[in-house]
Amino acid sequence: PFQLIARTSGVTIQVPADKTIVEALEDAGVEVLTSCEEGICGTCETRIVAGVAEHHDSVLEDDERAGNQVMMICVSRAATESLTLEI
Ligand code: FES
């Protein structure tokens, strides 16, 4: 599990191991734009404000992953205890 701070929504939640960031946000009443939910379309691309993402998508290039600026929240998770997103 890790802490997720949705800065724009003003919501802080825990994302359990068995839920995606999208699912955890929806549980908290935050509306998220998604499509494939498999990390291949790019619809759910979200800007990272703080923390480091653990990427599991097939959208980003290697240098974009290393840059840690954006992530696909339908599949990707946090590599740090806390992750702050622009959502
Ligand atoms: Fe398609 Fe996340 S919804 S990459």
Side-chain angles (χ1 to χ4, degrees), residues 34-44 59 72:
T34 63
S35 179
C36 72
E37 307 230 0
E38 290 178 2
I40 54 175
C41 75
T43 302
C44 68
V59 177
M72 304 305 145

Side-chain angles (χ1 to χ4, degrees), residues 26-86:
E26 285 175 342
D27 285 353
V30 178
E31 259 192 63
V32 187
L33 200 61
T34 63
S35 179
C36 72
E37 307 230 0
E38 290 178 2
I40 54 175
C41 75
T43 302
C44 68
E45 182 171 306
T46 301
R47 182 156 290 278
I48 300 163
V49 178
V52 177
E54 179 188 286
H55 298 284
H56 295 287
D57 66 278
S58 312
V59 177
L60 296 174
E61 304 291 339
D62 284 350
D63 60 331
E64 292 176 306
R65 288 177 213 285
N68 195 56
Q69 296 294 301
V70 293
M71 67 187 293
M72 304 305 145
I73 58 172
C74 64
V75 290
S76 296
R77 305 187 67 81
T80 42
E81 276 179 28
S82 180
L83 192 63
T84 305
L85 301 179
E86 192 72 64

Side-chain angles (χ1 to χ4, degrees), residues 1-18:
F2 55 91
Q3 181 188 62
L4 182 78
I5 301 167
R7 194 170 74 164
T8 310
S9 309
V11 168
T12 300
I13 57 174
Q14 292 291 321
V15 181
D18 63 346

